[in-house]
Amino acid sequence: MLFTHHSSLLTPGPTPVPLSIQSAMNLPMVGHRSKDFETIAKKAFSSLKPVFGTDNDVLILSSSGTSALEASLLNIVNKDDHIVIIVSGAFGQRYQQIAETYFSNVHIYNVEWGSALHVKDIIDFIKGLEVSITAVFTQYCETSTAVLHPVSSLGQALHEFDPSIYFVVDGVSCIGAVDVNMKQDHIDVLVSGSQKALMLPPGIAFVAYSNRALKRFKDVDTARFYLDLDKHYQSLEKSSTPFTPNITAFRGVIEYCRLVEDEGFKQVVERHYKIRDAIRKALKALDLDLLVDDANASPTVTAFIPNDKEEVNEIKSRLKNDFNITIAGGQGKLKGEILRVGHMGFISPFELLPFVVSLEIILTNYRKKSYIGAATKVYSEVLMHEL
Ligand SMILES: *Cc1c(COP(=O)(O)O)cnc(C)c1O
């Protein structure tokens, strides 16, 4: 039986898009070489600064998040450079794949899936390589495991170890939900995508950069064309883009930034952490193990471990077929082992209640043990303490 016609999208991207963003994106088209678009572009580039924790305007690419990952490699790394890629899940593997497509001196630092990177180990790993490292690449939130890495500590440690190393961070699944500060965290390039915590439709990507990185974009001689970030920056300075941009999505960016300013960015971040804490307690109350420990859990996505593969399938398909709720399965080697619930962007604690109630019903039926009220009780209690 279908309990509701109202569908709920709780995947770690794409995420629900607020109506006001949809409406902003419905305005009549303008030419991209017009004053109209210059006004839009200027506003979009500059409004993103607080969300990316930077004083520089943020570049917008009309392509998905992966293009920004690729751009971050092509515009920082030269042919003979040695780089380190931290691989802690499926998106780390993607960084590795892109890097190995273009470069030969790629050193992989593996982190156990579900664990957070260990700062001191990484510095020791780099020392042990006994070559000069040009750049270190990592995910901020590894979406496939729901870990939020201690990017700030790593940035500071790398800076202390060798300030010439470029620190490049994939923040696709957490920018917009975490308190990042590129200067303090010593991040040189911070990339993101539109369809995760930034609650926009898929299709555009973002690159924030330090002044040092900006100079590097100009100096690097690796072949690139569409993803030449220096070219994008030259256009940005003229409130423009080198190629036809996704004009519609630029308007969405402006509306997104307006919504964030309205709520207050600090509040936006706190809301994500509040939801994370409540949902983790609720899942534990349902005897569901969590993949990530409390200290390293992302505020944007939570991974949990049902008893076996059958239970994984039961939960995912019942949520979809009976309750109209979509969550995500595992990726790569975690496929069939875990489930992931996304809680980022246009979401408030109450929007997750139907998910919590549905899980109580599904598990009560499936395990023949009553969970009715068990998860909602702790969920409400966490929220109550926040008032
Ligand atoms: C979703 C995601 C990407 C890829 O973004 P696309 O828009 O699908 O290209 C990259 N990195 C992380 C951490 C992600 O969550």
Side-chain angles (χ1 to χ4, degrees), residues 12-13 63-67 69 91 94 139-144 170-173 193-196 202-204:
S63 38
S64 89
T66 305
S67 73
L69 267 60
F91 289 101
R94 184 172 303 178
Q139 267 60 45
Y140 198 149
C141 166
E142 172 49 79
T143 325
S144 66
D170 166 5
V172 175
S173 60
S194 51
Q195 76 278 22
K196 313 252 168 122
I204 55 171

Side-chain angles (χ1 to χ4, degrees), residues 102-120:
Y102 295 99
F103 304 106
S104 19
N105 304 318
V106 180
H107 305 277
I108 302 302
Y109 177 88
N110 279 300
V111 178
E112 193 187 342
W113 289 33
S115 296
L117 60 81
H118 195 284
V119 173
K120 192 180 164 296

